[in-house]
Amino acid sequence: MKKVLAIMASVCLIGSVEAADLFKASKDIALRAPSVPLITSDTYFSIWSPYNQLTEGNTEHWTAAEHPLLGAVRVDGKVFRFMGKDKLSLESLIPMTDDSAWEAQYTFDVPAGDWKSINYDDAGWKSGKAAFGTRDMQRIGTEWNTKDIWARRHFTLDKDVKNQTVYLRYSHDDTFELYLNGEQLVATDYSWKNDVTLELTAKAKAKLRTGKNVIAAHCHNTTGGAYMDFGLYLESEQLCNFKEAAVQKSVNVLPTQTYYTFACGPVELDLVFTAPLLMEDLDLISTPINYISYRVRSLDKKQHDVQVYLETTPQLAVHEPSQPTLANKEEHNGMSYLKAGTIEQPYTVRKGDGVRIDWGYVYLAANDAPDRSLSIGERNPMKEAFINTGKLLPGKQNVRSSGINSMPAMAYAHDLGKVDKEGKEGYVMLGYDDIYSLEYFYKRRLAYWKHNGSVSIFDAFENFKANYSSLMERCRRFDIELMEEAEKAGGKEYAELCALVYRQAITAHKLFTDDEGNVLFFSKENHSNGCINTVDITYPSAPLFLIYNPDLLKGMMTSIFHYSESGRWTKPFPAHDLGTYPVANGMLYGGDMPIEEGGNMVMLAAAISMVEGNADYAKEHWETLTVWANYLLEHGLDPENQVCTDDFAGHLAHNANLSAKAIMAIAGYGKMARMLGKEDVAKRYDDAARQMAVEWEKMAIDGDHYKLAFDKPGTWSQKYNMAWDKVFNWNIFPSQIATTELAFYRKNQHTYGLPLDSRKNYTKNDWILWTACLGTDADFNALLAPVYKYANETPSRVPISDWYDTDNAQMMNFKARSVVGGFFMKMLMERMHNQ
């Protein structure tokens, strides 16, 4: 008998929810999400919609690479598209590398003169084949390992194309600018994107001329891999597409579910994306399967003939669109599956920040039933068949592709038949079996849900099928409970922010076990440097996990303890990280963070002890904690010049907020000692923390506020590390410090939030919500309001960034990071105060 997932063995439900209610959001959300979570499992299996309307554009991986989901409903023979956009049918004018090889003049040295001009003399530049990039990228013609590259691509047009639709396609990593005959067409910030398609404006097309032309481009590599490729294309006649978009009536983002409602002619469509991330259930949050549910009902009291279509492609299983893939159809125990992955299957080989997984397999799964079908085939013919008949083409059993242009449609159709006002519904499942999740201390590891290989992906899908109704209801009830608790703690806007970030915070992690059976929960430092299990990513995310499952927080910390206790890390403070995701073989970060990481680990161990009411976890690592606490005792009051988590504006000696972190951690060590019956130790560290707090105030006071650095009068910063003092009512710091700081902060807020410190206008929203906990409810609301405004208005349409400009709401950097778990600090504080 197959082993089933533990969490599926029995589900006890209190009460019941009508089936129709499962398709309607339990709360109406006013917040416009910067990017809407759709499929959220882990850092690789992560699909978002960065638009107000689900039909505005294609869905994306959090890195902004296209991870397409396409949806349509056919009503009485007429098709309405409710998700994504059809891929354009393009013919090459001058190709990108995935279509054909091309050459350009290039230089790694800053060019003199107007290198963008069509008449510029580039005879002294080198000639090389595209694409240009580092060796770890696909289809590199010329290796590029410097910070910058400039390229000029000459081409000749033998016809006038100004009256045709012309597109620029390009891929870049990182900052990129491109000019057509001197006209700037592209200027990006620090980002990396693959296969961007941009329609040329009339002004840009006017620059094209019959005869000689030139595209000039410059790319700057900030860190990690580098890449540059570009080409021009003409729109060709498409065989078919889903032209008419459904009318989106609403979108609501709740903690585990996203709800859309559409008007599709005479019927209404409810669409629900569910990631059953219920944190008390380790099997459940580890299993890489999400539901896409739909319900259609008549709006005009008549019956209508309805079919539903959903489609994805093997792009979900590649890093570079040019990677060859294999897709096939399989059947197991009454379920049908479409499966796709790369032919190469380089398990855990590709590491870094802005990367997608290119090993393992994506699955689209559905019940075997006469009214449902799954098929693999060419994209346009597949859609044409659905438009004309409401059915899929028979398709093929196996389809190989040599790159994005030959990738097939992986399509699902459900014939709902006659639909009346009572409605009919269905669902599909989308999953990803990564085979091996990551490498930890030189051994590839299976994800937790596999239970050392005894559970297969088909077992997991079958269990999700068997428990569909109960899991949908559990998620709905959890969402209601979280929203009610968050609203009680911080108001409706606070609850909406918590709902937005819940899935983001969890799914930047991977859950597995080590050889001793310890549960490990490793983060990826998304869009900041790609490190794995970074301690100063764990620290800000902690409030969410302290509320819902402290074992997950322990799962982030245990490996850091073991790294020191194994003798591989011998310094008297913790390591910053364990490597670059997905390889965790030891720290790779370029600098130590002694007070930062020492304070983080000791304070988090104390927080776990306070939440659990015992210091059992701390006891397991007491010797290591003692070494770190003693380091903080000796060096923490007045830190030397060193790296800290907020060093965006440069390193800083005598950092007052860093000092506050050390003091709180020392106090926390004393609290843990008391729990363990070590009264003498407890008194010594508690007294030391209180005396250090007195000294801190003397060094930091600066009139109506407290300094950024002890030796820099006229400066200020957020003292968010003091939030623990309020959460646990330790009263280490004199109360007037928080009162004084909050009054100052409220006077120094900008349109979109309180700056991080006096040096720049940017901020970190996770820290703002910690800082807001230092004051009264009125203070909290005052600091919360501009953070909500930022989320609601930012032009940076990404999984919410935690680092942004407080004047224009533009993302500075960072997106899709787990640190937004820190938004839950107010909920944690209220829970602790109500115990």
Side-chain angles (χ1 to χ4, degrees), residues 252-283:
N252 289 280
V253 176
L254 291 165
T256 66
Q257 298 183 299
T258 297
Y259 297 79
Y260 285 94
T261 299
F262 302 90
C264 307
V267 304
E268 184 174 79
L269 166 69
D270 293 315
L271 184 69
V272 186
F273 296 88
T274 303
L277 298 171
L278 306 175
M279 278 191 275
E280 79 279 2
D281 236 322
L282 297 188
D283 277 303

Side-chain angles (χ1 to χ4, degrees), residues 592-742:
D592 291 334
M593 302 171 72
I595 304 301
E596 178 71 46
E597 309 303 24
N600 290 342
M601 287 292 289
V602 176
M603 185 60 236
L604 291 181
I608 290 170
S609 300
M610 296 299 293
V611 168
E612 294 189 329
N614 64 72
D616 293 350
Y617 181 68
K619 184 178 181 180
E620 295 176 30
H621 306 287
W622 191 249
E623 184 176 338
T624 305
L625 285 167
T626 301
V627 171
W628 295 344
N630 286 336
Y631 184 90
L632 296 172
L633 197 62
E634 182 176 354
H635 301 281
L637 177 60
D638 191 9
E640 298 174 345
N641 190 11
Q642 60 188 259
V643 184
C644 80
T645 195
D646 299 327
D647 59 359
F648 314 117
H651 301 173
L652 191 71
H654 317 295
N655 186 323
N657 187 48
L658 192 59
S659 172
K661 175 174 290 187
I663 294 168
M664 291 310 306
I666 290 165
Y669 181 82
K671 301 297 181 184
M672 292 186 287
R674 181 160 285 111
M675 288 181 173
L676 293 173
K678 303 176 185 292
E679 289 296 333
D680 291 346
V681 174
K683 185 177 187 310
R684 183 159 70 90
Y685 281 85
D686 188 74
D687 289 348
R690 295 181 187 280
Q691 183 57 42
M692 291 169 77
V694 171
E695 294 300 315
W696 186 97
E697 184 178 21
K698 292 177 183 176
M699 294 189 293
I701 188 68
D702 196 21
D704 64 347
H705 67 279
Y706 294 83
K707 302 170 193 171
L708 162 67
F710 297 135
D711 63 338
K712 295 187 182 300
T715 64
W716 61 271
S717 65
Q718 292 187 42
K719 307 304 189 297
Y720 59 80
N721 284 309
M722 292 183 185
W724 298 111
D725 208 15
K726 295 278 287 188
V727 169
F728 299 129
N729 283 323
W730 286 348
N731 299 313
I732 301 298
F733 285 92
S735 61
Q736 69 266 20
I737 294 177
T739 303
T740 300
E741 285 289 80
L742 265 297

Side-chain angles (χ1 to χ4, degrees), residues 107-392:
T107 181
F108 299 135
D109 300 319
V110 179
D114 187 8
W115 59 274
K116 305 177 287 292
S117 168
I118 190 170
N119 297 317
Y120 182 80
D121 183 7
D122 55 27
W125 292 20
K126 298 176 182 178
S127 180
K129 293 182 178 181
F132 300 90
T134 46
R135 188 174 299 175
D136 56 329
M137 298 297 189
Q138 294 288 320
R139 296 196 177 182
I140 297 302
T142 300
E143 193 168 345
W144 159 39
N145 291 304
T146 62
K147 283 293 183 184
D148 293 88
I149 187 171
W150 289 261
R152 287 173 54 84
R153 182 178 184 180
H154 299 271
F155 63 98
T156 300
L157 291 181
D158 57 9
K159 61 181 179 179
D160 187 350
V161 296
K162 294 185 181 67
N163 293 324
Q164 294 182 257
T165 305
V166 183
Y167 292 91
L168 169 70
R169 285 180 57 210
Y170 62 91
S171 298
H172 68 95
D173 185 351
D174 298 308
T175 309
F176 182 62
E177 56 180 321
L178 181 143
Y179 302 82
L180 171 61
N181 292 336
E183 177 80 14
Q184 187 173 62
L185 302 184
V186 179
T188 77
D189 56 7
Y190 170 45
S191 62
W192 45 87
K193 293 188 177 182
N194 286 297
D195 196 31
V196 178
T197 302
L198 176 70
E199 183 178 348
L200 266 58
T201 64
K203 181 182 178 182
K205 285 193 294 183
K207 286 287 182 178
L208 285 167
R209 59 181 70 178
T210 304
K212 294 182 179 180
N213 297 264
V214 67
I215 292 180
H218 166 228
C219 197
H220 172 74
N221 180 36
T222 301
T223 186
Y227 191 78
M228 183 174 70
D229 189 12
F230 49 86
L232 291 177
Y233 291 78
L234 298 176
E235 185 172 5
S236 62
E237 183 178 349
Q238 288 187 265
L239 296 176
C240 68
N241 59 27
F242 299 150
K243 293 181 180 179
E244 184 162 349
V247 177
Q248 183 174 307
K249 298 172 68 174
S250 66
V251 56
N252 289 280
V253 176
L254 291 165
T256 66
Q257 298 183 299
T258 297
Y259 297 79
Y260 285 94
T261 299
F262 302 90
C264 307
V267 304
E268 184 174 79
L269 166 69
D270 293 315
L271 184 69
V272 186
F273 296 88
T274 303
L277 298 171
L278 306 175
M279 278 191 275
E280 79 279 2
D281 236 322
L282 297 188
D283 277 303
L284 198 55
I285 67 165
S286 171
T287 303
I289 297 172
N290 281 199
Y291 298 115
I292 304 175
S293 308
Y294 50 87
R295 179 175 182 267
V296 182
R297 67 182 186 90
S298 173
L299 293 173
D300 61 5
K301 300 181 181 179
K302 297 179 181 178
Q303 287 190 335
H304 298 280
D305 190 47
V306 177
Q307 296 84 37
V308 174
Y309 178 95
L310 290 166
E311 174 190 302
T312 189
T313 80
Q315 280 176 266
L316 274 59
V318 302
H319 170 68
E320 292 286 352
S322 60
Q323 289 180 277
T325 62
L326 177 63
N328 63 284
K329 184 176 180 180
E330 299 183 13
E331 294 184 359
H332 296 270
N333 292 336
M335 292 186 67
S336 294
Y337 300 87
L338 303 182
K339 169 186 175 183
T342 60
I343 292 173
E344 184 182 8
Q345 289 296 305
Y347 301 120
T348 70
V349 170
R350 187 181 300 279
K351 59 182 181 178
D353 195 354
V355 301
R356 274 74 52 196
I357 194 169
D358 57 2
W359 68 90
Y361 300 92
V362 63
Y363 289 84
L364 183 64
N367 299 335
D368 282 338
D371 60 353
R372 303 174 199 209
S373 57
L374 287 166
S375 185
I376 305 172
E378 293 183 47
R379 288 177 296 219
N380 282 331
M382 189 68 73
K383 284 190 280 288
E384 185 176 24
F386 181 78
I387 290 170
N388 293 333
T389 68
K391 301 181 183 298
L392 303 179

Side-chain angles (χ1 to χ4, degrees), residues 23-52:
F23 291 89
K24 295 292 185 182
S26 57
K27 297 278 187 179
D28 288 327
I29 305 298
L31 177 64
R32 181 228 62 176
S35 191
V36 179
L38 303 178
I39 303 297
T40 44
S41 180
D42 58 36
T43 188
Y44 289 134
F45 192 37
S46 177
I47 305 176
W48 302 69
S49 175
Y51 306 104
N52 293 342

